[in-house]
Amino acid sequence: MWHIMGKVTDKVGSSICRDTDFLSRLNSIVWDFDLEPFEFEEKWTELMNDFEMADHSWFSAMFAIRKNWIPAYHKDLPMGYNDSAHSLPVTVTPLHLEAHAACMYTHSIFYEFQVEVKAAIMSCGVGGFTREQDVEITDVDDAGTGKTFKVFYNISTTAATCTCKLFERKGLLCRHILWVYSGKGVRSIPNRYILSRWTNDALNSNKNVVDDHDFVNSNQTNLSKVWSEFHETVSLLKTVPDVHVEELSRLLVEFREKICPQAEPLTKDQEMEMLLGCSALSDITILPPTKSNNKGSGKRLRSTKAQCIEKAEKPKRLCAYCKEIGSHDKRNCAVRIADEAAAKEGNKNVRK
């Protein structure tokens, strides 16, 4: 995608990109992850017609392979990364959903999630509401994008999907689902929407890194309730004496030691083996190549231009033979050399 967009200026010329809004309009179409495929095609056709490029061979070829590089056609594909975090990030809203995410996600993932949380509060509103059996369908108006998205919320399972498909694409709940969840009083992110690769303990997990969005069991539900109760308890500690905080900390340590006896910490090699699911090879047959000396030897040959520049930069001096100021001296004076040659020629003529 970057490779294709980097060629636009070469294909249409720098003047049209500099003097018109062609490039900005093209970027707004190509990089809009919220566009549906039919919306992208309409906007692309409109742009090409406005600038009389409907028959442009390169743009026609790129449009023909649009399903291979335009994000609108890849909204169902997951994308992402992971990092580690050792402290809780700062929350900016009173929502329990954000506090839950701060405990679960790595810092970089949490701050992406936080953008959606703030947008849910500041930019979203209800545009319509219908119900079909146990599923509530809410039209959420997004002031940030100027579009309306549908959120399908299952009352019995709290499962939710959105037509923006942010979760399917990045593995994070979108602002529209979060807005519905906040209205329904959901206090923690359902476990089905917490992908293990985004969490702080991704490396320490003993299970396979497989995310099943539809898998829910009673144990996960109980864990969600425990977390909610724990969060409420910690919130109460802000107004109680420190002795209660110390007591809770002591109880937590005792409980952790009871259910998980102290074990030797894993080495980096063991962590990588656990993550990759295989052990390191004992016999290594592929070795780094032998280092070769590829540096040149001798003096670098200078070009004629470089020699002239160096000669011009030398300070001028007075020639003891011709009495002229220049870049030569008596030893290589052209006048002296010519006089000596003439003298030798004269001596030859005299001897004859």
Side-chain angles (χ1 to χ4, degrees), residues 240-304:
V240 299
D242 293 341
V243 62
H244 296 302
V245 179
E246 296 174 357
E247 181 180 2
L248 178 60
S249 177
R250 178 181 55 80
L251 292 174
L252 289 174
V253 172
E254 292 178 357
F255 181 75
R256 183 170 62 249
E257 292 177 350
K258 179 180 178 181
I259 64 174
C260 184
Q262 187 68 23
E264 291 294 330
L266 296 178
T267 63
K268 288 186 177 180
D269 292 339
Q270 291 173 332
E271 288 183 351
M272 291 303 299
E273 290 177 358
M274 181 180 297
L275 177 64
L276 299 176
C278 61
S279 57
L281 298 176
S282 57
D283 297 331
I284 300 177
T285 57
I286 301 177
L287 301 175
T290 304
K291 183 178 179 181
S292 60
N293 185 9
N294 55 3
K295 293 185 177 180
S297 59
K299 296 181 65 176
R300 179 177 64 87
L301 297 178
R302 294 175 298 169
S303 64
T304 304

Side-chain angles (χ1 to χ4, degrees), residues 88 96 99-104 187-188 221-238 240 244-256:
L88 290 180
H96 291 280
H100 185 199
C103 296
M104 300 300 296
R187 302 174 66 87
S188 60
T221 303
N222 291 334
L223 288 176
S224 180
K225 293 179 180 179
V226 169
W227 183 94
S228 180
E229 294 174 358
F230 176 77
H231 177 71
E232 292 181 4
T233 303
V234 173
S235 300
L236 294 174
L237 293 179
K238 298 179 181 179
V240 299
H244 296 302
V245 179
E246 296 174 357
E247 181 180 2
L248 178 60
S249 177
R250 178 181 55 80
L251 292 174
L252 289 174
V253 172
E254 292 178 357
F255 181 75
R256 183 170 62 249

Side-chain angles (χ1 to χ4, degrees), residues 93-351:
T93 71
L95 291 182
H96 291 280
L97 288 167
E98 186 188 11
H100 185 199
C103 296
M104 300 300 296
Y105 290 141
T106 62
H107 279 196
S108 58
I109 294 298
F110 169 75
Y111 287 126
E112 289 192 28
F113 181 83
Q114 192 177 67
V115 172
E116 299 300 316
V117 173
K118 291 190 291 186
I121 296 177
M122 304 299 296
S123 303
C124 294
V126 63
F129 178 83
T130 57
R131 179 169 177 172
E132 298 178 1
Q133 296 181 352
D134 290 340
V135 178
E136 294 180 351
I137 305 173
T138 305
D139 293 334
V140 180
D141 294 333
D142 189 341
T145 61
K147 299 179 180 180
T148 300
F149 299 91
K150 290 185 179 294
V151 175
F152 300 85
Y153 174 74
N154 191 302
I155 301 173
S156 58
T157 64
T158 69
T161 58
C162 180
T163 54
C164 76
K165 296 184 178 180
L166 179 68
F167 179 76
E168 288 79 2
R169 187 171 67 250
K170 297 184 66 174
L172 292 175
L173 289 179
C174 64
R175 62 194 66 181
H176 318 112
I177 293 179
L178 293 175
W179 186 84
V180 172
Y181 273 171
S182 64
K184 295 297 180 181
V186 178
R187 302 174 66 87
S188 60
I189 304 172
N191 285 281
R192 65 170 68 87
Y193 299 123
I194 300 178
L195 306 189
S196 60
R197 63 177 178 271
W198 292 163
T199 59
N200 288 317
D201 59 347
L203 275 178
N204 298 326
S205 176
N206 292 325
K207 61 182 180 180
N208 294 329
V209 185
V210 177
D211 298 309
D212 187 352
H213 300 164
D214 299 323
F215 177 75
V216 181
N217 55 34
S218 59
N219 186 44
Q220 289 177 317
T221 303
N222 291 334
L223 288 176
S224 180
K225 293 179 180 179
V226 169
W227 183 94
S228 180
E229 294 174 358
F230 176 77
H231 177 71
E232 292 181 4
T233 303
V234 173
S235 300
L236 294 174
L237 293 179
K238 298 179 181 179
T239 58
V240 299
D242 293 341
V243 62
H244 296 302
V245 179
E246 296 174 357
E247 181 180 2
L248 178 60
S249 177
R250 178 181 55 80
L251 292 174
L252 289 174
V253 172
E254 292 178 357
F255 181 75
R256 183 170 62 249
E257 292 177 350
K258 179 180 178 181
I259 64 174
C260 184
Q262 187 68 23
E264 291 294 330
L266 296 178
T267 63
K268 288 186 177 180
D269 292 339
Q270 291 173 332
E271 288 183 351
M272 291 303 299
E273 290 177 358
M274 181 180 297
L275 177 64
L276 299 176
C278 61
S279 57
L281 298 176
S282 57
D283 297 331
I284 300 177
T285 57
I286 301 177
L287 301 175
T290 304
K291 183 178 179 181
S292 60
N293 185 9
N294 55 3
K295 293 185 177 180
S297 59
K299 296 181 65 176
R300 179 177 64 87
L301 297 178
R302 294 175 298 169
S303 64
T304 304
K305 180 179 179 181
Q307 294 177 9
C308 294
I309 293 175
E310 182 181 359
K311 185 177 180 180
E313 291 177 349
K314 286 185 176 180
K316 305 297 182 180
R317 51 190 174 183
L318 178 65
C319 177
Y321 186 85
C322 66
K323 307 302 181 182
E324 293 183 359
I325 297 177
S327 59
H328 66 280
D329 55 15
K330 183 178 180 179
R331 293 175 301 169
N332 53 15
C333 179
V335 177
R336 183 186 65 79
I337 295 174
D339 291 346
E340 290 180 354
K344 289 181 180 179
E345 188 67 25
N347 292 335
K348 289 181 180 180
N349 294 333
V350 170
R351 285 196 295 268

